[in-house]
Amino acid sequence: MLEVLDHIGLVAFAISGVLTAANRNLDILGGYIIAFITALGGGTIRDLLLNEDVAWMTSFTQVAVVIAAATFGIIFRGKLKTWRRTLSIFDTIGISVFTIVGVQKGLSHDQLPLTAVFLGMITATFGGLLRDVLSNEIPMIFRKEIYAIPCLVGGSLYLLGDYFGYGDTLWLLWGSILFIIAFRTLAVLFSWKLPLIREFK
């Protein structure tokens, strides 16, 4: 199941990366590079922090999935752009899946519970952070938008369920993912924002 989730996240983030590249008028090579970094950047940083082999460097499947998803995004970008908030949809799916993947990987490496939750957040958001930096945008995680908080809360819910012995159940897995999707979607729809530092007096 972990591998299936990982591939779902790779597809969502690769398409998200391609759409961002298209919006910034990058060429086709730039599109593939941004897709690659968006899909695999967070997991790469997570694996380096865990001092283990970077997953995609020993997995042809992961690289192939990213290339295929990016190609799909390039070919059908016109159709995808007609969907309202398409980029946000794929980004939301990506962060929800990768949060749980990251938490699970942290727990499997016997990390502290808080560390596991932060590894989930890093896995989910740091690929997008690198995407935005390379696209010359302020990373979404640093803006007023509610972006990383759904990952932290959803990852904590999964961690709580795992603590009570439900870590291997599908209902906890998908419940945590759907919670993050719902939280992030509501934040976008209702423009929930975090206060800026300068707003504190």
Side-chain angles (χ1 to χ4, degrees):
M1 181 56 70
L2 185 62
E3 185 175 358
V4 173
L5 287 176
D6 193 51
H7 287 170
I8 292 173
L10 290 175
V11 169
F13 268 149
I15 294 175
S16 168
V18 161
L19 293 178
T20 298
N23 289 339
R24 301 298 291 179
N25 294 320
L26 300 187
D27 62 21
I28 191 168
L29 177 60
Y32 278 108
I33 291 174
I34 295 298
F36 189 89
I37 289 172
T38 306
L40 298 170
T44 298
I45 295 172
R46 176 204 63 216
D47 291 342
L48 291 174
L49 289 172
L50 289 171
N51 196 30
E52 70 165 19
D53 293 337
V54 177
W56 65 265
M57 295 184 71
T58 56
S59 173
F60 172 78
T61 304
Q62 287 194 6
V63 176
V65 166
V66 172
I67 292 173
T71 302
F72 175 87
I74 290 171
I75 294 173
F76 295 101
R77 69 191 182 283
K79 293 289 185 182
L80 294 173
K81 281 185 176 181
T82 62
W83 297 357
R84 179 177 170 82
R85 300 185 184 275
T86 301
L87 180 58
S88 178
I89 291 170
F90 284 107
D91 210 51
T92 299
I93 294 171
I95 65 170
S96 65
V97 170
F98 274 176
T99 295
I100 306 306
V101 170
V103 172
Q104 286 183 328
K105 198 152 191 178
L107 292 174
S108 70
H109 283 73
D110 298 322
Q111 298 297 307
L112 294 171
L114 182 61
T115 303
V117 172
F118 274 105
L119 285 172
M121 187 268 290
I122 288 169
T123 307
T125 62
F126 275 42
L129 185 153
L130 294 172
R131 173 200 65 204
D132 293 342
V133 169
L134 292 175
S135 300
N136 198 29
E137 297 180 3
I138 298 175
M140 196 175 298
I141 193 174
F142 296 147
R143 300 181 209 163
K144 294 176 69 175
E145 283 194 35
I146 302 293
Y147 187 67
I149 288 179
C151 302
L152 294 173
V153 178
S156 298
L157 287 176
Y158 180 85
L159 186 71
L160 186 63
D162 182 78
Y163 176 79
F164 286 107
Y166 299 105
D168 295 326
T169 59
L170 286 177
W171 68 265
L172 177 64
L173 184 73
W174 288 107
S176 301
I177 289 172
L178 291 174
F179 174 85
I180 296 171
I181 290 175
F183 194 162
R184 170 63 181 156
T185 301
L186 289 172
V188 172
L189 290 176
F190 294 101
S191 299
W192 294 345
K193 307 289 185 182
L194 288 175
L196 298 174
I197 294 175
R198 67 186 182 189
E199 293 175 349
F200 285 92
K201 296 182 181 179

